[in-house]
Structure formats: C-alpha cells, structure tokens
C-alpha cells in the first residue's frame, strides 16, 4: 500500500511513537545509539516495531533516524549494514498490517573537515532503495532547504517514491534554527509537488504544540493538497540519575493529542518519550470518536509582518560616521563611557561595540551598548557573535537589546578559539552570521514587527580572493543585511573591491583603523588575522617616535585613506585604537577641514 492510499483509505492514520527513548527504557542503555542495535540486537528493535503495530499503528518508521556516518562514527560499510538491517526489521514486522517509511534526519556536519553531506545522503538513499524502500520520511527538521537535495535525489532515482517531511516547531512559533512558521510555510508550498505529506513532530508536548500547529496545518490544507501529520513528545523531559525521563501520563498524552483530530489531521502519533501504551490509548480516541471539545483558534499568518522600518541612524539615507569601542575586561565602564562622550561631541553618529574579539572574554556588547545609549545619548550598534552562544542565547540577547531601544546590530560568526584554549573553552557556532541574520529577520516579522532591528554584516575587501568575498556579500544581502562594516582598509586592492561592493543593494561603511605606533603597526601587519597593511605605511613610523608624534602619523594616514575611499562608500567606521577617542577625533577634524565629511 502506498502512503497516498493509506491516508485516503483512513480518516485518521495512527503512526508509531518513539524509538530511541523507548529503546533506552527497555534496555537501560542510554549511551549506545539505538540504530546500532539494528545489527547488534535486532530482536529488541523488532519487539518495539511489533508492539507499536499491536497498539494500532498503521505507519511505522525505520530505526534509522541517526543512521549516518557522522552521528554514529562508523564507516560506510558499517552504515550500510545498519540501514539494511533497520529496514528489514521494519518490513518484517509490518507485513500487510502497516506501511513502512525509511526514516532520515537532516545531517549537519560540525567537524570542519570538508565532509561531503550530499554524498552521505546519496549513500543513505541508495542503500534504502536497494533494500526496497518506497516511502521516506525526513523528520525533526529545522528547515526544508537542508534536505531538499536529498529529496530531489530520491525522486531522480525513483520517480514514484512518496516522501513525508516533518518539522520541529517550538511553542514560540519558530524552528530550532530560528525559522518562523511563516517562512517555513512559504518553503513548503514552493516545493509542495515533491511531498505526499507534511508534519510537525518533537520539540514539545501536545498542549504546547496545539496553538501553533492548528493554524499551521489549516494554512497547509488551504494552499496545498498535502496530507498532514502531528507527532508530539510526551511532554517535557526531566533528568533522573543522568537519564532522560518523561513523566507525562499516557492517558493525558492521548487525550491532548486527540484534540488535533477534528482539525482534519491525516495522521497522529508520538515522538520522544512515547511508548506503545501511549499509542494504544490514542487509538481508542480514533476508534471511538470520543474527543474533548476543541477550542477554535483564529490565527492569520499574514498579520505578522514588519509594520515599520528600523529607527536606527545607520538605515537613514545619509552618510554615516560610526566609531567602534572595545568593551572592557572588567565591570568598570567609566573609560568606555568617557570615550563615547568624546566621540559624540566630535560628530560621530553612532557607537559600535565589539563582541569579545579574538575569542577573549570581555563585557557583553549589548550591555555596553545599552549603557552608552542611556548615559551618552547616542545611537549604538552592538556586534553579536555566534561563536559563544546557541540559538536560545542569541534570541534572548536580541530580545533584551530590543527592550533597551537598540535598533541595529552587526551579525558576525566570530573568530575561532585559540588552539591553546581548545578543550578548556568550547565554541558553539550553533548559527553563523547569515543564519543569525535570518533569525533577526524572523523576529522582525513577529515580535519586533512594530519597530524592527536593522541587521548588518562584516565584509573583508582585502580577502585573498575578492570574488569569494563579493559572493559571500551577496549571500548576506539575501539573508537580510542592510549594511556592511568593512575590515580596515589599507590597500588599493581593497578599495577596488569596495567599489564593486558599493554597486550592490547594501550600504557600505568603510573601516578606517588609525595605527598609533611602530609597534602597533607592526603587530597588526604580522599578527592580526586578515589584516593586510603595506610596508610603505608601516615604514612611516619609527620605534624612536614619541606617542604624540606616532599618533600624528597614524591620524594622517587614516585621513588619507578615508579621503581616497570617500567617493565609493556610504559612511566611515572608525576602529578606535585602545579606545583612544582623541585619535578618532583628530582624524575627523582633518576630514572636516578637507571637506571630506
């Protein structure tokens, strides 16, 4: 029986429940990934499939959710055996009683070693097809784009294959990658001909899922002919003796999940924490037609759109003067505040604050920006770095920034942790800068709709391959970047690259970094990653110069570079050396005298 036939022949199809958490419950083995049991303990996997079918499940998933060589740390030969054994076990148990879906997860490689994700998908899919798979489910997804190449490959190899895609939509209406329900719906509808059904699974229990899932599925049915599936968790887990335990009663889960059925769901089932008992009790609601009264939900996705533009100075149609300050290593902000006052008085429009550059912990950039904004009365632009924060932390920071009146941020991936600190300091990189931009765009369409945050990115015009830097810039623009701050500009090559960047639909703010001594110039030239400074500029300094003499030389060079770049940019971004605001003041005075600004 095909999936389409299954859904058409049954008013509501019952799916199976969790595999991994139930496997751990049965075996007491939390550490071993259950996919390996397809080979080592096939009798346990068959027992689980059989129990779900006996409970009433007519759609079961193979025990292969994490079956990829990255997650399992296995060779392709071992992976192939795991997939084949998993599919055979499900087929053996299903017989004529249930339909089997080959279960595939999104593969995210964090090993930074050039892992071939596309090739991995192709190997997994080829193995399933050789085993006889007709139906596939990609589940617990954060975004459709991550698996579209794999979906296309399945249909290329087997045109009559039937595919389900199922997403994790958290109670706040966003996926784990920060994608909003609206954006997810757009993506699904654009690719609707590739799937048989779309679902929501994992992330929360039935009660938390209900309010967002019902309008989500209503929209799907209004705009497509796709079947719809919901598979909630058994509530929220707790940790008991280092084991993940779900305390929700099966009867409670069944009653709450049954509330979805009157809304036209094609199939219901369970995800993490559920067992055959949960599915058996859910089956009773399907068979008896006894379901709690359902509260109607009114929700219009088109309501959640930005209603205004950002109020940040950086988005205004004018030349912008920004200056960067480094946050302190301590909790004493007095010097930073004093520097900000000097910069404001000499004509700077906004202060930018870096976020722990080079992986060295400093005061939080958003907290610093909020203090400067309140105490100095100048617009601020905090840098927000992905290196140290997961998506939850990034969203929390953005909510806090918005509450403080901050309406522009610079999204940066972040410098890597120094080799000597690895093993002690753990980088996160849950998102990169472009995904953070997308997240901010989603928040602008929802909780920030009345007063959105303008997002910008970094741009390196001195990169070894200018074409790659410009291509990366195009991606940032596509992800919502309204402006870019460039790395410090010192070379003609960088200026030529900026000319090309300024032809694009983005505001280009050129980085100007005054050098303040021979030692400082030599250090930046030789030890700061990505900094390209010609020998001719460094040679203008000498070790014998006094501080004042060296600063005069540095200010002169900075003013020359700014004047050279001025026709091709939309603003200047002065990086303040050692928070010496008077140096930036000196550069600005020179530029005003020359009528550059």
């Amino acid at each position: 029986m095909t999936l389409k036939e299954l859904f058409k022949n049954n008013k509501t199809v019952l799916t199976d429940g969790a595999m991994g958490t139930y496997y751990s419950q049965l075996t007491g083995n939390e550490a071993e990934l259950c996919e390996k049991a397809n080979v080592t303990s096939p009798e346990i996997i068959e027992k689980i499939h059989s129990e779900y079918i006996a409970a009433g499940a007519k759609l079961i998933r193979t025990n292969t959710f994490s079956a990829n060589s990255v997650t399992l740390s296995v060779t392709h030969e071992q992976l192939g055996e795991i997939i084949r054994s998993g599919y055979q076990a499900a087929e053996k148990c299903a017989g004529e009683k249930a339909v089997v879906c080959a279960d595939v997860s999104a593969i995210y490689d964090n090993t930074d070693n050039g892992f071939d994700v596309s090739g991995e998908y192709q190997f997994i899919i080829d193995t399933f097809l050789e085993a006889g798979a007709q139906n596939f489910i990609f589940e617990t997804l954060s975004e459709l784009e991550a698996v579209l190449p794999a979906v296309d490959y399945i249909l290329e190899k087997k045109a009559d294959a039937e595919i389900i895609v199922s997403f994790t939509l958290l109670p706040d209406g966003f996926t784990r990658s920060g994608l909003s329900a609206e954006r997810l719906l757009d993506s699904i509808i654009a690719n609707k001909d590739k799937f048989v059904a779309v679902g929501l699974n994992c992330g929360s229990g039935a009660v938390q899922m209900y309010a967002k899932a019902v309008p989500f599925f209503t929209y799907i049915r209004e705009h497509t002919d796709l079947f719809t599936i919901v598979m909630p968790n058994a509530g929220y887990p707790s940790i008991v003796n280092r084991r993940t335990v779900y305390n929700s009663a099966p009867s409670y889960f069944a009653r709450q999940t049954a509330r979805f059925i009157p809304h036209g769901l094609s199939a219901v089932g369970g995800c993490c924490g559920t067992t055959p008992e949960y599915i058996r009790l859910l089956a009773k609601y399907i068979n008896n037609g006894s379901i709690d009264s359902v509260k109607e939900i009114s929700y219009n996705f088109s309501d959640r759109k930005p209603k205004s533009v950002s109020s940040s100075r950086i988005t205004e149609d004018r030349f912008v003067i920004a200056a960067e300050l480094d946050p302190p290593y301590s909790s004493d902000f007095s010097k930073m505040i004093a520097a900000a006052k000097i910069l404001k008085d000499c004509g700077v429009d906004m202060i930018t604050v870096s976020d722990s550059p080079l992986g060295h912990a400093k005061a939080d950039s958003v907290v610093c920006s909020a203090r400067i904004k309140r105490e100095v009365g100048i617009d601020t632009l905090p840098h927000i770095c992905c290196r140290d924060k997961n998506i939850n932390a990034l969203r929390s920071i953005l909510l806090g920034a918005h509450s403080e009146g901050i309406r522009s941020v610079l999204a940066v991936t972040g410098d890597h942790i120094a080799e000597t600190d690895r093993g002690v300091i753990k980088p996160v990189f849950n998102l990169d800068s472009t995904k953070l931009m997308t997240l901010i765009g989603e928040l602008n369409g929802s909780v920030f709709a009345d007063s959105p945050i303008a997002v910008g990115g970094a741009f390196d015009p001195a990169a070894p391959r200018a074409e790659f830097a410009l291509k990366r810039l195009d991606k940032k623009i596509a992800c919502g970047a309204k402006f870019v701050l460039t790395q410090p500009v010192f070379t003609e090559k960088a200026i030529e690259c900026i000319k090309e960047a300024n032809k694009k639909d983005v505001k280009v703010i050129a980085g100007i970094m005054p050098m303040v001594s021979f030692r400082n110039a030599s250090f930046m030239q030789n030890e700061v990653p990505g900094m390209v400074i010609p020998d001719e500029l460094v040679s203008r300094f000498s070790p014998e110069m006094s501080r004042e003499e060296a600063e005069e030389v540095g200010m002169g060079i900075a003013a020359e570079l700014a004047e050279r770049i001025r026709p091709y940019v939309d603003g200047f971004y002065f990086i303040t050396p050692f928070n010496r605001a008077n140096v930036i003041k000196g550069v600005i005075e020179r530029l005003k005298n020359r009528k550059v600004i």
Side-chain angles (χ1 to χ4, degrees):
M1 183 185 298
T2 67
L3 284 173
K4 286 182 180 178
E5 292 170 340
L6 176 68
F7 292 134
K8 287 179 179 178
N9 295 342
N10 296 271
K11 185 176 181 181
T12 306
V13 172
L14 189 63
T15 79
D16 58 7
M19 173 62 75
T21 53
Y22 188 41
Y23 170 83
S24 293
Q25 181 180 325
L26 290 177
T27 64
N29 188 347
E30 188 77 22
E32 183 182 7
L33 290 166
C34 63
E35 287 80 4
K36 292 182 178 179
N38 293 340
V39 175
T40 60
S41 304
E43 69 283 357
I44 297 176
I45 305 305
E46 290 177 14
K47 169 182 168 63
I48 293 172
H49 285 316
S50 297
E51 287 185 8
Y52 278 123
I53 293 169
K58 292 181 177 169
L59 174 62
I60 65 171
R61 293 160 284 177
T62 59
N63 178 35
T64 52
F65 175 72
S66 293
N68 61 75
S69 59
V70 173
T71 305
L72 298 183
S73 297
V74 294
T75 65
H76 270 185
E77 182 180 358
Q78 293 169 319
L79 178 61
E81 186 179 5
I82 289 169
I83 292 172
R84 284 188 294 271
S85 298
Y87 187 80
Q88 290 164 2
E91 278 282 286
K92 176 182 175 181
C93 296
E96 299 297 321
K97 296 175 286 188
V99 172
V100 174
C101 268
D103 196 350
V104 186
S105 68
I107 302 171
Y108 299 101
D109 174 44
N110 296 317
T111 59
D112 197 26
N113 62 359
F115 178 76
D116 182 9
V117 173
S118 177
E120 183 77 359
Y121 274 130
Q122 291 179 14
F123 177 83
I124 292 168
I125 291 162
D126 286 341
T127 305
F128 271 124
L129 291 174
E130 290 164 7
Q134 167 71 29
N135 311 307
F136 290 81
I137 180 168
F138 291 85
E139 62 165 311
T140 322
L141 303 177
S142 296
E143 55 186 337
L144 180 58
E145 285 68 22
V147 298
L148 272 180
V151 169
D152 291 337
Y153 185 74
I154 291 172
L155 296 175
E156 176 188 325
K157 298 282 286 190
K158 187 173 179 61
D160 61 346
E162 295 186 337
I163 301 169
I164 300 170
V165 286
S166 184
F167 302 87
T168 297
L169 193 63
L170 301 174
D172 59 5
F174 291 83
T175 70
R176 287 191 176 103
S177 64
L179 209 62
S180 68
E182 293 91 331
R183 185 73 64 88
L184 192 57
L185 286 166
D186 290 343
S187 183
I188 291 167
I189 291 168
N191 293 277
K192 62 184 179 181
D193 294 338
K194 299 176 181 180
F195 319 121
V196 168
V198 61
L200 293 176
N201 76 287
C202 206
S204 60
V207 172
Q208 292 80 17
M209 189 179 285
Y210 185 79
K212 295 295 186 296
V214 169
F216 181 88
F217 287 127
T218 300
Y219 194 92
I220 288 288
R221 287 195 301 275
E222 288 174 350
H223 294 83
T224 75
D225 59 359
L226 293 170
F227 297 100
T228 51
I229 304 171
V230 65
M231 296 177 287
N233 286 348
Y236 283 107
S238 57
I239 304 298
V240 179
N241 293 329
R242 294 186 294 178
R243 292 185 61 195
T244 303
V245 176
Y246 288 82
N247 297 311
S248 162
S251 57
Y252 175 83
F253 167 86
R255 183 171 66 254
Q256 297 301 330
T257 303
R259 296 171 66 226
F260 286 94
I261 296 174
H263 293 287
L265 271 292
S266 309
V268 294
C271 202
C272 296
T274 57
T275 69
E277 178 65 7
Y278 288 71
I279 301 304
R280 184 184 69 80
L281 293 176
L282 182 55
K284 287 187 175 182
Y285 285 95
I286 294 174
N287 296 333
N288 299 336
S290 175
I291 300 169
D292 288 355
S293 60
V294 178
K295 179 182 177 182
E296 291 300 320
I297 296 177
S298 176
Y299 190 94
N300 187 348
F301 282 110
S302 63
D303 289 342
R304 297 177 70 186
K305 302 294 180 186
K307 300 184 179 74
S308 62
V309 297
S310 169
S311 58
S312 171
R313 294 288 294 273
I314 205 163
T315 59
E316 295 176 3
D317 188 19
R318 56 190 289 274
F319 197 83
V320 175
I321 306 295
E324 177 179 300
L325 291 175
D326 240 2
Y329 283 105
S330 71
S331 58
D332 181 1
F333 287 11
S334 57
K335 291 182 179 178
M336 181 184 67
I337 297 296
K341 289 178 179 178
I342 293 171
L343 293 169
K344 178 188 177 185
D345 291 344
C346 72
V348 168
D349 297 312
M350 68 188 315
I351 302 294
T352 82
V353 183
S354 57
D355 187 2
S356 296
L358 301 179
H360 299 154
K362 294 188 176 184
D364 182 79
S365 61
V366 171
V367 173
C368 291
S369 296
R371 281 280 299 273
I372 292 170
K373 186 176 179 67
R374 283 199 305 272
E375 297 184 23
V376 182
I378 188 171
D379 203 4
T380 54
L381 170 70
H383 303 193
I384 297 182
C385 167
C386 299
R387 175 194 56 239
D388 310 314
K389 310 167 189 78
N390 65 20
I391 189 170
N392 285 348
L394 289 166
R395 290 190 61 201
S396 296
I397 287 165
L398 289 164
L399 292 169
H402 195 271
S403 75
E404 288 283 0
I406 292 170
R407 292 297 180 269
S408 57
V409 300
L410 187 79
V412 294
T413 300
D415 302 315
H416 282 271
I417 300 293
E419 288 288 342
T420 53
D421 291 331
R422 291 186 182 180
V424 178
I425 301 172
K426 303 289 186 182
V428 179
F429 293 120
N430 194 181
L431 304 181
D432 64 9
S433 61
T434 54
K435 289 183 179 179
L436 177 55
M437 290 172 186
T438 301
L439 170 61
I440 294 168
E442 300 297 345
L443 290 170
N444 283 340
S446 53
V447 293
F448 301 159
D450 290 328
S451 184
I453 289 178
V455 61
F459 174 61
D460 185 6
R465 299 285 296 274
E467 64 272 25
F468 290 162
L470 291 166
K471 185 176 181 181
R472 178 73 173 164
L473 175 57
D474 287 334
K475 184 176 181 180
K476 291 182 179 183
I477 295 170
C479 290
K482 302 301 181 186
F483 61 92
V484 290
L485 304 186
T486 80
Q487 296 286 4
V489 179
F490 293 102
T491 66
E492 284 299 317
K493 178 184 175 183
I495 294 172
E496 290 302 315
C497 188
I498 282 176
K499 289 180 183 178
E500 293 301 313
N502 207 34
K503 297 175 183 177
K504 300 180 183 293
D505 186 22
V506 68
K507 198 165 185 175
V508 179
I509 316 295
I512 304 293
M513 186 174 187
M515 299 172 283
V516 292
S517 69
F518 177 78
R519 181 179 178 183
N520 173 233
S522 299
F523 177 82
M524 288 199 298
Q525 184 188 49
N526 292 284
E527 296 196 42
V528 179
M531 198 73 72
V532 181
I533 304 176
D535 291 338
E536 184 273 326
L537 296 182
V538 177
S539 67
R540 294 201 201 177
F541 297 89
S542 74
E544 292 76 25
M545 282 180 175
S546 67
R547 172 169 170 165
E548 292 74 18
E549 290 173 331
E551 286 183 354
E552 283 292 324
V553 171
M555 288 187 285
I557 292 172
E560 290 171 17
L561 289 168
E563 187 171 8
R564 174 77 177 84
I565 298 167
R566 176 63 178 86
Y568 316 114
V569 296
D570 305 294
F572 292 139
Y573 156 56
F574 294 106
I575 298 101
T576 312
F578 310 109
N579 280 0
R580 296 185 194 175
N582 284 320
V583 172
I584 302 303
K585 179 181 177 181
V587 177
I588 290 174
E589 288 174 349
R590 283 169 169 75
L591 294 176
K592 286 180 177 178
N593 290 337
R594 300 177 192 179
K595 301 188 184 306
V596 176
I597 55 176

